[in-house]
Amino acid sequence: MATRLPPVIAIDGPSASGKGTVAQGVARALGFHFLNSGALYRAVALAALTAALDLENESILSDIALKLNAKFDGNSVVLEGHDVTDAVRGEDVSVAASRIAGLPAVRRALLSRQRAFRQPPGLVADGRDMGTVVFPDAVLKIYLTASPETRAERRHKQLMEKGLGANMAALLQDIRERDQRDSARATAPLKKCADAVLIDTTGITADDAIAQVLALYKQAPRAP
Ligand code: DC
């Protein structure tokens, strides 16, 4: 008898679209596991920056991605035994993560690590290529987005809450540049796949978006 794999809800979209909050809210409501795939790219980037590695060297970086001694739990990241949850959110790591995410060998090296999160009773996976590449058989695929201005405002609020200064114009420019890099790359570019449901969170709350995803999941067709 074929074993049925646990269900996956794939939530993709650009940075600061609210994916993380929505994915975690959905996972909590359903009692599912949660994968923050961006944290994997960020952990590889941090390891590479710490070792002062060349960010163009695909073979060294994919080796790092394969052997990375890292643990991921929700949003927390432990690298080589050190809690690097805050460090991986730093601006230098964000830029490096976006660069190394364009390297096909790094993406391949992270595939099985991401798929290992698919455990009973199910998984909510947050990223850029969850529905297109990592979990193409997801029972529900969501493409979550919001206007660049809304996303810059959200990021601004998050940074202010952490007591960090932030400039709106610079944040907006950074979001636009990252969107461009994530969507223009040749391998697994950020794009809405044909079978994903678009949810625009401009003007709606995270709770509204979570309720929409839960309603869609209830209606999603299941394998017999
Ligand atoms: O979601 P995030 O901002 O933490 O992601 C960090 C970087 O990693 C971002 O530039 C896009 C990239 N990424 C990716 O290419 N594929 C994923 N599944 C997740 C993140």
Side-chain angles (χ1 to χ4, degrees):
M1 196 179 77
T3 343
R4 205 186 299 161
L5 289 167
V8 176
I9 299 177
I11 303 188
D12 290 304
S15 64
S17 58
K19 276 176 301 141
T21 311
V22 172
Q24 284 179 92
V26 171
R28 207 172 299 122
L30 295 171
F32 279 15
H33 299 276
F34 165 61
L35 165 63
N36 170 0
S37 61
L40 275 74
Y41 289 91
R42 288 173 180 274
V44 176
L46 178 63
L49 289 176
T50 307
L53 297 176
D54 172 8
L55 295 183
E56 310 280 312
N57 191 326
E58 192 162 356
S59 85
I60 289 188
L61 292 171
S62 60
D63 204 45
I64 297 257
L66 273 181
K67 296 180 183 152
L68 198 69
N69 174 14
K71 286 204 174 66
F72 303 89
D73 185 11
N75 284 325
S76 96
V77 185
V78 174
L79 188 61
E80 302 295 344
H82 300 287
D83 187 329
V84 294
T85 311
D86 287 335
V88 294
R89 308 289 324 166
E91 201 41 41
D92 50 342
V93 177
S94 300
V95 173
S98 175
R99 280 179 62 189
I100 63 158
L103 303 173
V106 170
R107 304 199 70 88
R108 270 196 306 277
L110 291 177
L111 264 183
S112 58
R113 242 177 219 271
Q114 295 175 84
R115 290 184 176 145
F117 281 78
R118 186 176 200 168
Q119 297 290 336
L123 175 69
V124 184
D126 146 13
R128 305 293 190 288
D129 61 342
M130 298 297 98
T132 49
V133 177
V134 185
F135 302 109
D137 62 338
V139 290
L140 176 62
K141 298 180 186 179
I142 303 287
Y143 189 84
L144 207 74
T145 188
S147 69
E149 290 76 13
T150 302
R151 288 155 52 208
E153 275 164 26
R154 287 181 188 156
R155 176 93 355 124
H156 187 258
K157 191 162 162 254
Q158 279 169 0
L159 292 170
M160 297 308 263
E161 279 166 6
K162 281 189 190 162
L164 300 169
N167 171 302
M168 270 297 288
L171 286 174
L172 189 56
Q173 187 183 345
D174 179 60
I175 278 181
R176 291 209 160 105
E177 283 172 7
R178 205 168 309 167
D179 281 358
Q180 169 62 20
R181 251 196 322 264
D182 290 347
S183 333
R185 68 175 177 232
T187 311
L190 170 66
K191 66 164 198 261
K192 177 188 166 306
C193 51
D195 52 350
V197 180
L198 177 83
I199 299 181
D200 188 333
T201 65
T202 312
I204 67 166
T205 65
D207 284 344
D208 290 338
I210 291 166
Q212 283 189 35
V213 177
L214 289 171
L216 288 163
Y217 179 65
K218 262 196 205 150
Q219 299 158 11
R222 306 287 198 285

